[in-house]
């Protein structure tokens, strides 16, 4: 999943970005409101984390522009402004959730995960595909109730496909949503991880979970 973090404190931005990347998210960072909108023009994001107090264009302005452009990203506001009036104002401006500073990283991660599930209309954190169980909260996969060990990137690819079940996802789209804009990796990296995922499932007796639509991309079928 691809996230945009809009926070003018570079120290806090680095801490939050590192925490999100450790959970397998692709993260881009912007340090003012205008930079955030430039990134929104170039990329599609699943979730945006937006501070209210920003240089050049404040968080309310960012929210207004995101909604006026009908961007589909869910927005989590983070702010030191913790009174009821500010919370209401943020939600009325288009925020989907509001988290007061200072916060624990674990709570922010939980709220981001909840917004990702809402983004993909997944009520439960557990997705089932025949004998395969993908738990997007615990970040694990089980086959017939036995744990399957995956790397973080392998799980992130499987999670993206599972939450878009029966929908073909192009390699370029996957790459854009799983890696930040600063990466020097090639989109061919996706093929390497998919090959590894298929081998691990095949070794456990699961075949054709991740399918290919030639010339288009990969998908996971809900019919098993």
């Amino acid at each position: 999943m691809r996230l945009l973090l809009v926070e003018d404190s570079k120290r806090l931005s680095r801490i939050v970005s590192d925490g999100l990347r450790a959970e397998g998210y692709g993260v881009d960072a912007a340090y003012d409101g205008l930079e955030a909108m430039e990134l929104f023009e170039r990329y599609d994001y699943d979730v945006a984390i937006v501070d209210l107090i920003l240089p050049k264009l404040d968080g309310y302005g960012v929210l207004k522009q995101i909604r006026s452009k009908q961007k589909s990203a869910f927005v989590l506001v983070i702010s030191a402004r913790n009174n009821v009036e500010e919370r209401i104002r943020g939600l009325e401006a288009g925020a989907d959730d509001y988290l007061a500073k200072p916060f624990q990283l674990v709570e922010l991660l939980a709220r981001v995960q909840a917004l990702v599930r809402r983004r993909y209309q997944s009520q439960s954190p557990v997705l089932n595909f025949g004998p395969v169980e993908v738990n997007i909260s615990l970040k694990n996969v089980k086959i017939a109730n036995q744990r399957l060990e995956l790397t973080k990137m392998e799980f992130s690819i499987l999670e993206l496909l599972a939450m878009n079940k029966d929908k073909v996802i192009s390699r370029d789209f996957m790459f854009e949503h799983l890696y930040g804009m600063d990466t020097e990796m090639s989109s061919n990296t996706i093929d390497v991880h998919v090959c590894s995922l298929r081998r691990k499932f095949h070794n456990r007796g699961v075949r054709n979970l991740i399918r290919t639509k030639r010339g288009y991309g990969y998908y996971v079928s809900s019919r098993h």
Side-chain angles (χ1 to χ4, degrees):
M1 307 300 164
R2 188 164 193 173
L3 312 182
L4 176 62
L5 174 61
V6 192
E7 166 61 60
D8 63 330
S9 166
K10 293 191 176 182
R11 178 179 177 277
L12 179 58
S13 178
R14 183 174 63 254
I15 292 170
V16 172
S17 295
D18 288 348
L20 290 166
R21 292 188 181 109
E23 292 297 310
Y25 294 108
V27 183
D28 295 337
Y31 302 106
D32 64 65
L34 293 183
E35 183 182 11
M37 295 317 304
E38 289 173 2
L39 289 173
F40 261 108
E41 291 295 329
R42 294 168 57 190
Y43 304 108
D44 290 322
Y45 293 99
D46 295 298
V47 174
I49 304 167
V50 181
D51 190 10
L52 289 180
I53 305 174
L54 295 168
K56 299 183 181 179
L57 178 68
D58 69 11
Y60 293 113
V62 171
L63 276 168
K64 183 178 179 180
Q65 290 201 33
I66 289 173
R67 297 312 178 208
S68 69
K69 295 177 184 296
Q70 297 184 326
K71 295 292 184 178
S72 59
F74 279 67
V75 179
L76 168 61
V77 162
I78 54 175
S79 178
R81 298 172 175 174
N82 193 26
N83 59 65
V84 174
E85 291 77 10
E86 290 293 346
R87 286 172 176 266
I88 292 173
R89 183 183 174 193
L91 294 170
E92 289 181 342
D96 298 284
D97 198 0
Y98 194 112
L99 181 60
K101 295 180 179 180
F103 52 79
Q104 296 292 320
L105 183 59
V106 65
E107 182 178 4
L108 181 137
L109 292 172
R111 289 174 182 254
V112 166
Q113 188 178 87
L115 291 178
V116 168
R117 292 208 307 270
R118 284 175 58 191
R119 170 93 159 82
Y120 290 94
Q121 299 179 337
S122 176
Q123 299 299 317
S124 171
V126 179
L127 305 174
N128 293 288
F129 302 89
V132 179
E133 177 184 283
V134 182
N135 191 314
I136 60 177
S137 288
L138 297 179
K139 302 291 184 184
N140 65 31
V141 177
K142 292 182 179 179
I143 300 174
N145 212 35
Q146 297 297 313
R147 182 80 172 264
L148 178 67
E149 295 298 331
L150 301 180
T151 67
K152 287 180 180 178
M153 187 50 62
E154 287 169 352
F155 181 86
S156 294
I157 289 172
L158 180 61
E159 178 186 34
L160 180 60
L161 291 171
M163 294 186 75
N164 288 278
K165 62 184 178 182
D166 299 319
K167 179 180 178 181
V168 178
I169 306 296
S170 72
R171 183 177 63 186
D172 289 342
F173 181 91
M174 292 170 70
F175 184 80
E176 179 180 312
H177 275 68
L178 297 173
Y179 292 93
M181 62 182 178
D182 295 328
T183 184
E184 296 180 358
M185 295 183 181
S186 164
S187 60
N188 291 330
T189 305
I190 296 295
D191 297 329
V192 175
H193 289 302
V194 169
C195 182
S196 177
L197 267 170
R198 283 173 164 164
R199 183 172 61 252
K200 289 182 178 181
F201 280 114
H202 187 274
N203 290 341
R204 295 282 292 273
V206 177
R207 295 169 174 82
N208 298 320
L209 176 67
I210 300 176
R211 307 183 186 189
T212 302
K213 186 172 180 61
R214 193 172 299 278
Y216 292 91
Y218 301 107
Y219 70 100
V220 167
S221 174
S222 60
R223 295 177 292 277
H224 287 270

